[in-house]
């Protein structure tokens, strides 16, 4: 709290501000300070308000030990000065007897006699105040359920009584009744009782999140897996990172463990790590720790006990270590409760949870389906070949392993990866001894090989600077080993990587994920990433960098004697690739012929020396060159011949990429069906090889585009998420986040709001995102989509908070004021929906200032008109002047857009503005003004025709008819207007649009 309140007005204002804060230490500390401040004033009622706020902070901040102490002060004040408590304060006081009962049950150090004494105190107070006893019997039942004895009788005594004003809310009572039936083993009846809460018809501070967490397993047991999935996503969001709902979080962890979602469970455990240290309630701790132990036990039983896990602060934990610690603490807590209660209920319940077997083998909970192998160190290793093809065995003998790695690498064979990975581990060992074998060569050469392979992997991830440095380091070691040819190849790779870096730097902020065909669609340890340099604008610095790289490669090639055929072919391939990338960058006709010339050289040389991998590479480059030159039919002809060759002569691992390229050509030819067939076949064949060796991620991404064209968005969403996860595993994290961002937007467009939010929550919790190591604009895009999803999911408070934060951050984007204009405008609208129009005006002014630098005519106009509507609708005549000010700003933007000859996507800005003037005036009761504005809008729209979307015109007529006939009480002209519109719409075949007008006309005639 910046400064202590100086009077009671300031105190009440501070209490209101604190009430808007989320529960947690910040709110609790402020509440404590406000109690201290209230004690300085001679105003008991102010102190009562401050103490009530403090008790609420303790209760929902999971500090049950302190809540009863505060309530004792309130009770003393009530006994001493009852007149201070008006009806509302008196109601709150008696309501919170239940809070104290709940708090005392959570503390095993409070003896059972103390719990019973508190119930007696509550009953006596309620009877003295002539209050109904149903709330008392509710507390008695909850104590019996907690003890595990006498629950049936206590339930009947409570449930049979009529509710009172002090009864728990409907949602909480529904939950208690359902839990009773669950305790009795009747899942179906429990779920039936729960339905109003699970369906969102009844809710409160804790509901439906509490009920959802309990209902998950009964839903699974009764076969309602889809509902369980849906409620897990929505319910978890309602309790995540909230210490007062740690038991609920524990049940979500248990749900993950019992549905084959152990990896997600570990992710959620990490997200809620604060609960190990910040939950003060022993009962809540027990519930959370038991749920966590169910998860950890399951992970360990699957053989992943050494995985890292998020646990108590102060040290790092493995799953096995954390499970042992959690078990020790949870066993102790259960024993303490049972000792206090004189029963074994808590140990029994805990044992039952830990003994549960998985309820389904696998239930895909989120769009980001991951296994335990994906969350450990192995997640960084490219996926290995599946059982569809038996990978070449990695030799045990070191000399054989080295020779095998080099031979496979020379062929461009994907199995080389496994050999290099094994060698990297062996060479890194302290006791490594290099074999004395002429066939193997010196250790310096092997180190150079490993560096070159590492450099190629860095290039595949577009880490061009690192790739160039590693290639240069490898070249120096090759020189030391007397391998001049290998050194030349490494230096040529470094030249290409540096050129690609220059292209990427020049294209920063402009590269996209379009359907351009890559210059080189193959991939080996000597080839650049197929995605490198894609979708860049034709600018001289980029083309110049690639031209210079090619010239240097040619000189290097010419100056290096005694090259082997394989080395010479690799140099020719690199030369052709550089020119291919230049053509892709410039799209200049004059750049096509040089590429074809280099490709012809490569093809002739590789054919003469029977180097299959380079023959295939040359034909792929030739195909790409035709495509980049705009000759798609020639590209298809070329690639068809290549596919025939690959099927008969190999290499087989080039088939998936080649089919992928053919699929992209078919997309460019607008034949989505043929593209889908090619890409699906490519994906089928890719399953036989390591995912990164055949670029399975891109196949999934391209297949997503193809099936979107075929009208199958849900299938596209699956392919997008699989593509993104593969990119993530392979270390292409920026590409992965971009793909996931597209997937999140698509899921939102499909109305899968909870899927979208869950996916983005998972991404934003990734360590590199949380640490700020990912591009801030990319992270902002993820957060923006999440904020829009929260808004779509009707979580206005959370959505507004995120938008406000994004608007503040984007205000510093001096290089991108247009994005700030749009974010600030959306922020203003959400603030308007929340009724905070002063803050909305400030955000709108920020948007207008940014718009002045980078115009966003339609977006700003839409937002300003919506703000005007919201203010007039919520505030009526009182808000009319401010609403008109928003419309004035929108009018100025419409004038600017007209001057700039801006074309809107739908109706003109002037038409939309006239309609909004009418609607705003109508909300404010200025009906004549409203009718004039609506007539203007109708004139601007013009009468619809058969091909028009007549919805806007019909709505404008309907509103004008309502204003004229109902509010101005002139039904005759209103009916003339409506009947003419109905006849026109009916004649044009727009019968659906005419229905609302017909309904209004009928109402006017009836009245």
């Amino acid at each position: 709290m910046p400064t202590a309140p100086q009077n009671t007005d300031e105190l009440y204002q501070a209490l209101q501000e604190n009430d808007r804060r989320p529960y947690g230490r910040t709110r609790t500390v402020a509440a404590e300070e406000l109690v201290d401040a209230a004690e300085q004033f001679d105003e008991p009622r102010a102190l009562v308000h401050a103490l009530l706020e403090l008790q609420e902070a303790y209760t929902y901040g999971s500090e049950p030990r302190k809540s009863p102490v505060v309530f004792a002060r309130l009770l003393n004040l009530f006994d001493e000065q009852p007149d201070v408590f008006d009806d509302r304060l008196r109601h709150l006081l008696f309501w919170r007897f239940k809070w104290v009962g709940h708090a005392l049950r959570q503390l095993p150090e409070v003896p059972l006699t103390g719990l019973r004494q508190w119930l007696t105190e509550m009953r006596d107070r309620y009877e003295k105040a002539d209050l109904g006893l149903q709330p008392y019997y509710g507390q008695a039942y909850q104590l019996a359920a907690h003890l595990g004895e006498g629950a049936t009788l206590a339930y009947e005594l409570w449930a049979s009584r009529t509710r009172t004003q002090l009864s728990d809310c409907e949602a909480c009572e529904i939950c208690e009744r359902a839990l009773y039936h669950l305790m009795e083993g009747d899942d179906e009846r429990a779920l039936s009782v729960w339905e109003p809460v699970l369906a969102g018809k009844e809710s409160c501070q804790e509901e439906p999140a509490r009920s959802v967490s309990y209902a998950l397993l009964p839903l699974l047991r009764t076969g309602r897996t889809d509902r369980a999935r849906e409620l897990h996503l929505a319910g978890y969001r309602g309790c995540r990172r909230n210490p007062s709902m740690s038991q609920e979080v524990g049940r979500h962890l248990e749900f993950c463990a019992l549905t084959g979602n152990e990896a997600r469970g570990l992710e959620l455990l990490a997200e809620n790590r604060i609960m190990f240290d910040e939950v003060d309630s022993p009962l809540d701790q027990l519930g959370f720790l038991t749920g966590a132990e169910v998860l950890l036990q399951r992970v360990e039983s699957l053989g992943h006990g050494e995985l890292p896990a998020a646990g108590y602060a102060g040290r790092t934990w493995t799953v096995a270590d954390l499970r042992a610690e959690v078990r020790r603490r949870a066993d102790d807590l259960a024993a303490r409760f049972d000792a206090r209660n004189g029963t074994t209920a808590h140990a029994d319940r805990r044992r039952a949870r830990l003994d549960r077997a998985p309820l389904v083998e696998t239930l895909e909970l989120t769009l980001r389906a991951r296994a335990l192998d994906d969350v450990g160190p192995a997640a960084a290793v490219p996926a290995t070949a599946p059982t569809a093809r038996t990978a070449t065995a990695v030799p045990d003998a070191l000399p054989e392993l080295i020779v095998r790695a080099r031979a496979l690498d020379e062929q461009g064979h994907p199995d080389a990866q496994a050999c290099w990975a094994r060698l990297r581990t062996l060479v890194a060992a302290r006791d490594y001894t290099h074999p004395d074998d002429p066939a193997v060569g010196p250790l310096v050469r092997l180190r150079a090989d490993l560096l070159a392979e590492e450099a190629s992997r860095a290039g595949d991830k577009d880490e061009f600077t690192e790739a160039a440095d590693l290639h240069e380091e490898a070249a120096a070691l090759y020189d030391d080993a007397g391998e001049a040819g290998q050194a030349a190849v490494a230096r040529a790779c470094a030249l290409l990587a540096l050129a690609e870096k220059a292209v990427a730097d020049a294209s920063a902020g402009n590269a996209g994920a379009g359907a351009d065909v890559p210059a080189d669609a193959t991939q080996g340890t000597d080839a650049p990433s197929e995605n490198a340099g894609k979708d860049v604008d034709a600018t001289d610095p980029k083309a110049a960098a690639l031209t210079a790289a090619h010239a240097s490669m040619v000189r290097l090639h010419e100056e290096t004697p005694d090259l082997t055929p394989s080395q010479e072919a690799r140099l020719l391939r690199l030369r052709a690739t550089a020119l291919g990338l230049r053509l892709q960058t410039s799209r200049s006709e004059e750049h096509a012929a040089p590429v074809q010339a280099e490709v012809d050289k490569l093809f002739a040389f590789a054919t003469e020396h029977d180097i299959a991998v380079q023959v295939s590479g040359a034909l792929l480059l030739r195909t790409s060159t035709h495509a980049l030159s705009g000759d798609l039919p020639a590209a298809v002809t070329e690639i068809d011949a290549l596919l025939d060759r690959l099927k008969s002569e190999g290499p087989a691992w080039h088939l998936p990429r080649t089919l992928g390229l053919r699929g992209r050509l078919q997309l460019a030819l607008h034949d989505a069906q043929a593209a889908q067939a090619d890409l699906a076949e490519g994906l089928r064949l890719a399953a036989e090889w390591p995912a990164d060796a055949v670029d399975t991620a891109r196949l999934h991404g391209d297949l997503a585009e193809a099936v979107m064209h075929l009208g199958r968005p849900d299938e596209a969403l699956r392919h997008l998420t699989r593509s993104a996860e593969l990119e993530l595993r392979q270390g292409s994290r920026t590409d992965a986040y971009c793909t996931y961002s597209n997937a999140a937007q698509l899921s939102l467009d499909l109305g899968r709001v909870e899927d979208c939010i869950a996916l983005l929550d998972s991404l934003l919790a990734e360590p590199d995102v949380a640490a700020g190591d990912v591009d801030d604009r990319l992270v902002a895009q993820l957060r923006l989509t999440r904020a829009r999803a929260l808004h779509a999911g009707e979580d206005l408070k959370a959505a507004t908070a995120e938008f406000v934060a994004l608007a503040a951050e984007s205000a510093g984007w001096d290089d991108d004021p247009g994005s700030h204009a749009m974010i600030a405008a959306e922020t203003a609208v959400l603030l308007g929906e929340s009724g905070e129009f002063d803050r909305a005006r400030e955000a709108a002014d920020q948007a207008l200032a940014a718009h002045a630098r980078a115009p966003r005519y339609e977006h700003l106009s839409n937002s300003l008109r919506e703000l005007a509507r919201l203010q007039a609708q919520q505030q009526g005549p009182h808000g009319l002047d401010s609403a008109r000010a928003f419309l004035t700003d929108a009018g100025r933007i419409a004038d600017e857009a007209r001057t700039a000859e801006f074309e809107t996507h739908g109706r003109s800005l002037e038409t939309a503005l006239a309609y909004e003037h009418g609607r705003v005036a109508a909300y404010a009761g200025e009906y004549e003004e409203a009718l004039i504005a609506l007539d203007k809008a109708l004139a601007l729209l013009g009468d619809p025709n058969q091909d028009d979307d007549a919805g806007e015109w019909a709505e404008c007529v309907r509103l004008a008819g309502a204003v004229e006939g109902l509010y101005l009480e002139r039904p005759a002209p209103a009916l003339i207007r409506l009947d003419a519109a109905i006849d026109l719409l009916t004649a044009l075949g727009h019968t659906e649009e005419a229905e609302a007008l017909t309904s209004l006309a009928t109402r006017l005639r009836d009245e």
Side-chain angles (χ1 to χ4, degrees):
M1 193 167 57
T3 57
Q6 301 302 305
N7 52 56
T8 54
D9 288 342
E10 291 183 5
L11 176 69
Y12 285 124
Q13 182 179 350
L15 286 170
Q16 289 179 349
E17 291 173 357
N18 202 41
D19 188 56
R20 288 194 288 266
R21 292 191 176 100
Y23 296 110
R25 285 305 302 162
T26 301
R27 175 169 176 165
T28 300
V29 169
E32 291 169 339
E33 293 174 348
L34 289 172
V35 168
D36 292 340
E39 289 173 334
Q40 308 306 312
F41 307 123
D42 187 21
E43 176 54 68
R45 182 166 295 178
L47 179 58
V48 168
H49 280 281
L51 288 169
L52 287 168
E53 164 61 23
L54 181 57
Q55 189 192 13
E56 182 176 344
Y58 285 146
T59 299
Y60 289 108
S62 192
E63 296 188 64
R65 289 181 172 86
K66 299 177 180 179
S67 173
V69 177
V70 177
F71 188 76
R73 292 188 64 184
L74 284 165
L75 209 52
N76 286 335
L77 282 169
F78 177 73
D79 290 339
E80 295 168 2
Q81 304 178 65
D83 293 343
V84 169
F85 289 75
D86 57 20
D87 288 345
R88 176 179 172 276
L89 293 178
R90 183 174 178 273
H91 178 85
L92 287 174
L93 180 79
F94 280 95
W95 181 277
R96 293 189 180 189
F97 271 88
K98 298 177 294 182
W99 286 14
V100 175
H102 176 71
L104 295 177
R105 287 194 300 274
Q106 295 182 75
L107 305 172
E109 62 267 30
V110 176
L112 185 58
T113 54
L115 300 182
R116 298 196 190 282
Q117 285 172 0
W118 181 253
L119 277 178
T120 302
E121 175 77 8
M122 179 180 177
R123 178 169 187 150
D124 291 346
R125 292 271 187 171
Y126 270 53
E127 287 180 332
K128 183 179 179 181
D130 197 22
L131 298 170
L133 291 181
Q134 194 262 10
Y136 158 78
Y137 282 104
Q139 287 293 299
Y141 162 67
Q142 290 179 36
L143 177 58
H146 173 80
L147 298 176
E149 61 180 20
T152 300
L153 176 60
Y155 177 80
E156 293 300 331
L157 289 171
W158 163 61
S160 61
R161 277 176 162 74
T162 304
R163 287 172 48 80
T164 74
Q165 287 188 338
L166 289 168
S167 296
D168 285 342
C169 73
E170 287 278 7
C172 286
E173 290 207 344
I174 285 172
C175 184
E176 290 300 335
R177 288 198 295 272
L179 287 175
Y180 172 76
H181 296 303
L182 195 62
M183 181 178 65
E184 294 293 302
D186 193 342
D187 286 345
E188 288 289 357
R189 188 168 182 186
L191 291 171
S192 176
V193 170
W194 254 320
E195 185 54 30
V197 174
L198 301 183
K201 296 175 182 176
E202 298 289 347
S203 63
C204 68
Q205 176 74 31
E206 297 175 336
E207 296 291 351
R210 181 168 178 253
S211 289
V212 164
S213 72
Y214 279 110
L216 294 174
L217 298 189
L219 286 166
L220 289 180
R221 289 194 292 262
T222 56
R224 299 172 173 92
T225 53
D226 288 343
R227 188 84 190 280
R229 174 189 182 277
E230 170 194 335
L231 289 175
H232 163 68
L233 295 179
Y236 171 70
R237 184 160 58 83
C239 59
R240 65 198 285 259
R241 300 177 187 169
N242 183 349
S244 71
M245 303 203 82
S246 57
Q247 291 205 61
E248 286 75 7
V249 170
R251 286 188 283 273
H252 282 279
L253 297 178
E254 180 179 2
F255 177 74
C256 290
L258 301 180
T259 56
N261 288 277
E262 298 85 5
R264 173 167 170 80
L266 290 177
E267 181 182 304
L268 301 191
L269 185 65
E271 186 177 20
N272 293 279
R273 184 173 192 165
I274 60 169
M275 294 188 182
F276 285 104
D277 302 297
E278 294 188 12
V279 176
D280 190 51
S281 160
L283 189 61
D284 287 348
Q285 284 181 25
L286 176 59
F288 170 71
L289 292 177
T290 301
E293 187 180 349
V294 173
L295 170 68
L296 296 167
Q297 173 180 274
R298 176 65 179 162
V299 173
E300 189 173 6
S301 72
L302 293 172
H304 293 276
E306 295 308 309
L307 282 177
Y312 296 95
R315 59 162 287 186
T316 57
W317 297 91
T318 64
V319 165
D321 292 341
L322 182 59
R323 180 197 173 197
E325 180 66 15
V326 164
R327 168 167 286 186
R328 181 185 68 79
R329 297 192 188 212
D331 281 345
D332 177 67
L333 285 169
R336 289 173 61 199
F337 277 109
D338 285 344
R340 188 269 301 273
N341 298 338
T343 66
T344 61
H346 288 277
D348 293 343
R349 291 166 188 165
R350 185 171 139 69
R351 190 177 307 110
R353 292 176 70 180
L354 290 168
D355 288 347
R356 280 195 187 108
L359 295 172
V360 294
E361 185 176 346
T362 303
L363 174 61
E364 190 171 302
L365 292 181
T366 71
L367 296 173
R368 193 182 182 194
R370 296 194 297 166
L372 288 170
D373 288 334
D374 301 327
V375 299
V381 179
T384 55
T387 57
R389 178 189 69 89
T390 302
T392 303
V394 176
D396 292 327
L398 185 56
E400 185 183 349
L401 176 60
I402 296 172
V403 171
R404 183 66 176 159
R406 288 171 179 161
L408 291 173
D409 189 70
E410 189 170 297
Q411 299 169 28
H413 198 293
D415 287 345
Q417 294 177 352
C419 295
W420 290 127
R422 176 65 179 150
L423 281 168
R424 186 171 292 105
T425 301
L426 292 172
V427 173
R430 297 180 63 181
D431 60 350
Y432 175 74
T433 301
H434 192 68
D436 184 11
D437 187 334
V440 169
L443 175 60
V444 68
R445 181 186 171 187
L446 179 57
R447 293 194 183 281
D449 291 337
L450 293 172
L451 281 172
E453 197 270 340
E454 185 181 354
S456 293
R457 287 189 288 112
D460 293 343
K461 293 183 285 187
D462 293 351
E463 296 170 358
F464 300 122
T465 301
E466 182 180 354
D469 291 343
L470 289 168
H471 277 305
E472 287 289 359
E473 191 176 346
L477 293 181
Y478 280 129
D479 283 335
D480 293 343
E483 296 287 341
Q486 289 296 105
V489 172
R491 289 193 172 94
C493 289
L495 288 168
L496 185 61
L498 288 173
E500 289 181 284
K501 177 67 166 63
V503 170
D505 288 346
S507 307
N510 297 321
D516 291 327
V517 179
D520 184 4
T522 64
Q523 182 175 344
T525 55
D526 57 350
S529 166
E530 120 174 354
N531 294 324
K534 64 182 179 181
D535 285 339
V536 292
D537 295 331
T539 57
D540 288 341
K542 304 177 205 173
L546 290 160
T547 299
H550 175 263
S552 297
M553 289 179 195
V554 172
R555 285 195 300 273
L556 182 65
H557 188 172
E558 293 171 347
E559 294 169 0
T560 306
D562 302 325
L563 291 165
T564 67
S566 174
Q567 292 165 350
E568 189 152 2
R570 292 174 78 178
L571 286 170
L572 286 169
R573 169 81 165 276
L574 289 165
R575 287 165 50 173
T577 298
L579 293 185
L581 287 172
R582 183 180 68 174
L583 173 61
Q584 180 177 315
T585 297
S586 69
R587 301 301 172 93
S588 171
E589 221 175 285
E590 65 186 40
H591 286 158
V595 183
Q596 292 288 18
E598 285 283 30
V599 169
D600 290 343
K601 290 179 188 176
L602 171 61
F603 179 75
F605 185 88
T607 301
E608 177 187 352
H609 293 278
D610 195 23
I611 306 175
V613 68
Q614 300 297 3
V615 171
S616 172
L619 294 174
L620 274 171
L621 280 165
R622 184 176 291 166
T623 299
S624 298
T625 303
H626 284 309
L628 290 168
S629 302
D631 192 352
L632 295 180
V636 172
T637 300
E638 193 76 47
I639 204 166
D640 285 346
L642 173 57
L643 283 168
D644 290 339
R645 180 188 178 98
L646 289 174
K647 290 172 184 176
S648 60
E649 302 178 34
W653 59 88
H654 277 195
L655 273 169
R657 283 181 178 273
T658 306
L659 284 164
L661 178 54
R662 192 178 192 279
R664 291 192 292 280
L665 292 173
Q666 297 294 357
L667 281 173
L669 289 167
H670 307 293
D671 189 345
Q673 194 68 55
Q676 187 271 337
D678 285 334
L679 291 163
E681 176 64 9
L683 200 56
R684 185 185 70 81
L685 295 174
E688 300 184 0
W689 305 98
D692 62 335
V694 291
D695 207 355
T696 305
R698 175 141 194 190
L699 286 168
H700 276 296
D702 291 333
L703 195 49
E705 182 180 352
V707 296
M708 275 296 290
H709 285 297
L710 294 173
R712 288 143 53 183
D714 288 299
E715 186 179 344
L717 185 57
R718 288 196 298 274
H719 285 298
L720 277 176
T721 55
R722 288 168 185 168
S723 174
E725 199 61 34
L726 283 170
E727 289 169 334
L728 209 58
R729 293 180 199 175
Q730 294 161 16
S732 301
R733 301 189 71 81
T734 298
D735 288 342
Y737 291 134
C738 288
T739 305
Y740 263 132
S741 178
N742 293 335
Q745 184 59 56
L746 177 56
S747 66
L748 182 57
D749 293 342
L750 291 173
R752 297 173 59 173
V753 173
E754 295 299 341
D755 278 323
C756 176
I757 296 170
L759 171 60
L760 291 167
D761 283 344
S762 177
L763 296 175
L764 292 169
E766 282 287 323
D768 53 350
V769 176
D773 296 334
V774 178
D775 179 77
D776 62 338
R777 307 297 171 84
L778 177 53
V779 174
Q781 181 59 58
L782 297 174
R783 291 171 56 200
L784 181 61
T785 304
R786 181 179 182 274
R788 288 169 175 160
L790 289 168
H791 188 214
E794 300 182 356
D795 191 343
L796 182 59
K797 183 177 180 180
T800 303
E802 187 66 275
F803 262 110
V804 168
L806 282 167
E809 292 176 25
S810 62
W813 297 353
D814 293 335
D815 60 329
D816 189 11
S819 291
H820 175 58
M822 292 191 290
I823 292 171
E826 285 190 65
T827 303
V829 171
L830 265 69
L831 287 167
E833 289 183 24
S834 303
E836 298 185 60
F837 288 104
D838 289 340
R839 295 178 68 197
R841 180 71 255 184
E842 292 174 6
D845 288 341
Q846 289 182 29
L848 288 165
H851 161 82
R853 297 172 56 200
R856 295 293 186 271
Y857 301 110
E858 196 160 12
H859 196 99
L860 264 290
S861 176
N862 293 345
S863 298
L864 289 165
R865 296 196 314 273
E866 178 64 5
L867 281 165
R869 182 193 70 79
L870 287 167
Q871 189 150 21
Q873 184 181 39
Q874 292 182 31
Q875 297 182 347
H878 178 70
L880 182 58
D881 288 343
S882 296
R884 282 173 172 162
F886 285 127
L887 293 178
T888 299
D889 290 332
R892 188 172 66 254
I893 287 176
D895 293 340
E896 294 171 1
R898 185 172 56 254
T899 302
E901 299 182 351
F902 174 78
E903 293 186 11
T904 60
H905 291 91
R907 59 183 172 174
S908 71
L909 299 185
E910 292 86 352
T911 302
L913 183 61
Y915 173 77
E916 210 60 68
H917 268 293
R919 195 155 58 154
V920 164
Y923 279 133
E926 300 289 339
Y927 300 120
E928 292 289 1
E929 179 185 333
L931 190 59
I932 293 170
L934 291 168
D935 282 335
K936 179 181 178 182
L938 285 166
L940 289 168
L941 279 170
D943 288 347
N945 58 46
Q946 195 165 6
D947 298 325
D948 283 343
D949 176 3
E952 291 182 353
W953 184 85
E955 171 57 22
C956 199
V957 172
R958 188 202 64 79
L959 184 55
V963 168
E964 191 170 25
L966 297 176
Y967 299 109
L968 290 175
E969 299 180 351
R970 299 202 291 261
L975 284 168
I976 292 172
R977 177 197 300 272
L978 291 169
D979 289 341
I982 292 167
D983 290 343
L984 177 59
L985 290 170
T986 303
L988 294 173
H990 297 302
T991 54
E992 185 175 342
E993 289 82 353
E995 288 178 2
L997 305 187
T998 302
S999 176
L1000 176 59
T1002 300
R1003 178 182 173 186
L1004 288 175
R1005 287 189 172 93
D1006 289 345
E1007 292 182 1

